[in-house]
Amino acid sequence: MADVQPLRRIQNSGAIAFGRDYTSSDAFRSLFREGMALVEDAAAYLDGPGREEARRLPRLSALAYADESMRLTTRMMQIASWLLVRRAVAEGEMSPEKATLQMARIRLVKNEFATHGSDTNILPRRLIDLINQSIRLQDRVLHADMILKNNSEDAPTPSGRNAVALQHLLIKSAF
């Protein structure tokens, strides 16, 4: 295991923790606003015009639409959950320990189109645009998540518990 003492010395020396600094920044607030606006746009489209467009599609295209719209919805819910948890910690509404448990439930994974290549031409243009926007946003969130995890203050653990105990808690909370 890597020696964390140098990291603790840096943190105790008054250096600013990147995660806390980032989630309080204008950059994070902008990412949050953009993410939540895209969640609203996607929901409005899927519940309204998208539903009408899907009804007019041939059977195979309608199946592709259903698959892609479910993937879009899942991606947007993961992004929204990540953004909301990060904001809650930044605003003091959630402890870092509770956030760690919540973040373990969020599956931020890179997923692209299930429909490949020219097959995307069978999908409505607005759905394709929303998917592309969500993938770009997801890339930004994944990048921020990686940086925040790599710069976390010793990966917050519940008081008096070690990293192994935290992993046990995360496993228990998943089931």
Side-chain angles (χ1 to χ4, degrees):
M1 187 158 110
D3 181 19
V4 294
Q5 291 305 317
L7 178 60
R8 286 190 183 127
R9 280 193 296 275
I10 290 169
Q11 290 167 344
N12 293 334
S13 71
I16 297 172
F18 176 77
R20 188 173 47 235
D21 193 42
Y22 174 71
T23 55
S24 300
S25 71
D26 287 339
F28 176 76
R29 284 189 286 279
S30 175
L31 179 65
F32 183 87
R33 282 190 304 274
E34 183 180 334
M36 299 313 282
L38 188 55
V39 167
E40 288 178 25
D41 288 349
Y45 169 76
L46 293 172
D47 285 341
R51 202 172 286 221
E52 291 303 315
E53 290 175 342
R55 284 189 188 121
R56 292 189 299 263
L57 293 172
R59 186 179 186 301
L60 288 176
S61 298
L63 289 172
Y65 178 94
D67 184 30
E68 293 296 350
S69 65
M70 283 190 299
R71 292 167 66 88
L72 173 62
T73 300
T74 300
R75 184 181 310 112
M76 294 311 307
M77 293 310 297
Q78 291 167 347
I79 291 169
S81 296
W82 186 90
L83 290 167
L84 289 167
V85 168
R86 290 292 183 183
R87 185 183 73 169
V89 172
E91 293 182 358
E93 297 170 0
M94 183 183 292
S95 71
E97 293 84 5
K98 183 166 182 169
T100 299
L101 294 172
Q102 292 296 319
M103 292 301 259
R105 295 181 180 140
I106 300 170
R107 289 196 37 173
L108 278 177
V109 294
K110 179 78 173 152
N111 64 27
E112 301 282 339
F113 279 96
T115 308
H116 296 288
S118 63
D119 292 341
T120 59
N121 293 334
I122 62 175
L123 298 172
R125 184 83 242 144
R126 180 68 180 135
L127 178 65
I128 293 170
D129 290 343
L130 287 167
I131 291 169
N132 286 328
Q133 289 175 45
S134 73
I135 289 170
R136 283 191 301 276
L137 181 65
Q138 181 185 41
D139 287 342
R140 291 173 52 206
V141 167
L142 284 167
H143 181 72
D145 188 61
M146 180 187 66
I147 290 172
L148 290 169
K149 284 179 180 174
N150 289 338
N151 289 292
S152 69
E153 291 185 34
D154 239 357
T157 59
S159 311
R161 300 191 192 224
N162 62 25
V164 173
L166 175 61
Q167 292 303 314
H168 285 276
L169 280 172
L170 293 173
I171 291 169
K172 282 181 184 180
S173 70
F175 300 102

